[in-house]
């Protein structure tokens, strides 16, 4: 499973302060820790800096790429921000995200097709948020087909079926997981990605719910997650889940993590 | 999910000693703790007392039933032991287990059909241990059909698809889980049951693997597990898994467990 380290997000107080103060060292340390803990991508988000998001994201990318060899995940719905970020990012980042909402789709499409990058394809449309696995799959299929037709390779598409809180509807967990399975089977060649925390919104013991949801995701074929890689319990659960789901040949990754003391 | 508390097993040193010394208090305290922690059945096993298993199991059942209102799970392959245990057990216990191995099947069948009890139907046949989900399902189907034909109600049958170690074969986890799903769907009305610990045999961090395997089982429909109910992390994971699998209406059990401090 690939991991996008989610910690460099302006909505987190310390990160917001570090961005404001241009505290390069703090940002770089946060990037380094995530990379050392197994992040394959470093998310950068400056969404709370309205009107200044572009220069904040540029600064974040430069700071992160000075010290870490993993690409970034550029986490912004604003095409201008994404475009300027892509100009200075070295290597192929993930763009988070395009969707089937016409305005967003039309604005992001030329950027996605005109650059070497991967893209999160969020299962949202002008009809709003999906409810069932069927809804999610239907949006995913349209979005993937359309991107592929424009020349984006399936391997560069990360479908996010959109996690919604089980506190709102008992079936939201299962419907999300069914969508993951169907996308990974029927749209063979694409990836799936998600953030976890929305699943537990409105409930106590969110960490308990989130990490068990990750485990279920691994069983269903989820192959990328936007998480906190410093959360050693979650990371260990994912490693164990990969063994149990038959996704860790001869348990090699699990045993390597064990020997490195990463399952404690 | 129903829980069979597994702790009263003679292969555990302290329990073996307590059985030998007829330490009623220790056995009763172990039963009481398991019941208080959420066990629906109390397993009794005296398998290491060769030649004396029958009187040991009788004593265990009497000791347990004096203090706990949950039925026992009579854990013995010996028809004589099971028969004598059934005579003094109050209420309907679970018998663990009948299988498709002819000798065992023929010896246990009259006991199972002649008493008010539930029965674990273990997916083993004269051809040995099953490898694939298909193997497991095929044995399960024959065993269930045969028991139903003899008058056993589906609701009294607990199919155990037989957990085998992933350290032996990467696919054993997935094949087991597929079997659970198929049994719960196609043999509608029966239950599924398993012990967990075999999955992690030969690997480090067994508890990590076992509890994540339980979570995956819940997603696939497993509705009974033979576990240590005093393991609060495992019990909390199962409660969370039931929420995520859409098996806890309005999250009521989860919230109740939270308020009772059982998710800590």
């Amino acid at each position: 499973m690939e991991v996008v380290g989610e910690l460099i997000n302006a909505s987190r107080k310390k990160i917001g302060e570090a961005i404001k103060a241009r505290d390069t060292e703090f940002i770089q340390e946060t990037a380094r820790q995530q990379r050392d803990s197994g992040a394959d991508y470093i998310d950068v988000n400056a969404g709370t800096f309205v009107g200044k998001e572009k220069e904040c994201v540029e600064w974040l990318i430069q700071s992160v790429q000075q010290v870490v060899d993993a690409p970034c995940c550029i986490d912004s719905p604003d095409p201008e921000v994404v475009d300027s970020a892509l100009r200075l990012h070295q290597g192929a980042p993930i763009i988070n995200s395009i969707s089937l909402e016409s305005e967003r789709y039309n604005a992001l499409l030329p950027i996605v097709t005109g650059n070497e990058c991967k893209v999160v394809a969020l299962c949202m449309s002008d009809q709003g948020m999906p409810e069932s696995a069927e809804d999610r799959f239907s949006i995913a299929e349209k979005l993937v087909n359309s991107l592929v037709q424009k020349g984006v390779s399936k391997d560069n598409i990360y479908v996010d079926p959109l996690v919604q809180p089980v506190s709102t509807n008992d079936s939201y967990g299962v419907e999300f997981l069914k969508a993951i399975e169907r996308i990974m089977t029927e749209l063979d060649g694409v990836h799936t990605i998600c953030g976890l925390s929305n699943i537990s919104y409105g409930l106590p013991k969110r960490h308990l719910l989130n990490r068990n949801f990750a485990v279920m995701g691994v069983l269903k074929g989820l192959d990328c997650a936007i998480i906190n890689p410093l959360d050693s319990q979650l990371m260990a659960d994912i490693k164990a889940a990969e063994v149990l789901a038959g996704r860790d040949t001869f348990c090699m990754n699990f045993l390597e993590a064990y020997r490195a003391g990463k399952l404690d």
Side-chain angles (χ1 to χ4, degrees), chain A:
Chain A
M1 176 121 112
E2 287 188 310
V3 167
V4 178
E6 71 184 3
L7 294 181
I8 303 183
N9 188 310
S11 67
R12 300 179 64 233
K13 191 158 175 280
K14 283 195 173 176
I15 297 293
E17 286 167 4
I19 295 174
K20 202 171 176 186
R22 293 291 188 271
D23 182 347
T24 312
E25 205 175 316
F26 185 79
I27 295 297
Q28 290 183 336
E29 186 52 27
T30 307
R32 215 184 273 116
Q33 285 175 350
Q34 292 185 91
R35 180 64 173 147
D36 291 347
S37 303
D40 302 288
Y41 298 90
I42 309 295
D43 195 85
V44 289
N45 174 305
T48 59
F49 288 84
V50 181
K52 297 178 188 166
E53 189 184 356
K54 194 168 83 124
E55 59 253 39
C56 291
V57 168
E58 287 175 354
W59 173 76
L60 284 173
I61 290 174
Q62 283 171 320
S63 304
V64 168
Q65 291 212 306
Q66 272 169 22
V67 294
V68 157
D69 62 351
C72 292
C73 176
I74 301 166
D75 185 6
S76 170
D78 184 336
E80 261 187 66
V81 172
V82 175
D83 194 41
S84 78
L86 271 165
R87 280 169 211 280
L88 58 84
H89 188 279
Q90 287 161 37
I94 304 183
I95 308 304
N96 188 2
S97 58
I98 199 166
S99 75
L100 210 61
E101 297 155 293
S102 347
E103 197 183 330
R104 190 159 176 176
Y105 181 83
N106 292 327
L108 263 305
L109 186 66
I111 300 175
V112 170
T113 55
N115 289 279
E116 196 205 334
C117 64
K118 299 160 190 241
V119 65
V120 176
L122 184 65
C123 290
M124 288 265 283
S125 72
D126 291 327
Q127 280 69 53
M129 314 251 275
E131 295 264 323
S132 64
E134 182 61 39
D135 290 349
R136 288 176 164 87
F137 181 78
S138 158
I139 299 175
E141 194 176 31
K142 281 181 199 143
L143 200 42
V144 167
N145 286 344
S146 157
L147 289 169
V148 167
Q149 208 172 28
K150 300 291 179 185
V152 181
S153 84
K154 275 187 168 180
D155 188 40
N156 282 339
I157 303 174
Y158 287 69
V159 180
D160 181 344
L162 196 70
V163 172
Q164 288 184 264
V166 275
S167 57
T168 314
N169 185 323
D170 290 345
S171 75
Y172 278 167
V174 174
E175 293 300 316
F176 175 89
L177 293 164
K178 274 190 203 160
I180 291 281
E181 187 167 36
R182 222 179 134 190
I183 291 162
M184 294 305 274
T185 314
E186 296 183 37
L187 306 178
D188 189 32
V190 304
H191 303 276
T192 42
I193 190 171
C194 71
L196 297 171
S197 57
N198 235 11
I199 194 67
S200 59
Y201 181 81
L203 289 172
K205 296 286 169 188
R206 296 190 63 178
H207 182 253
L208 171 67
L209 290 160
N210 295 351
R211 63 182 179 69
N212 280 301
F213 197 56
V215 167
M216 291 178 170
V218 170
L219 182 64
K220 291 293 194 174
L222 181 73
D223 63 354
C224 190
I226 307 168
I227 57 178
N228 173 8
L230 307 190
D231 179 343
S232 54
Q233 191 176 12
L234 172 60
M235 293 293 275
D237 280 340
I238 288 172
K239 287 266 185 297
E242 288 181 309
V243 168
L244 300 167
R247 290 173 56 179
D248 181 2
T249 312
F250 301 128
C251 314
M252 281 193 297
N253 290 336
F254 185 79
L255 292 170
E256 189 185 316
Y258 170 67
R259 284 190 292 263
K262 288 185 174 175
L263 301 180
D264 298 318

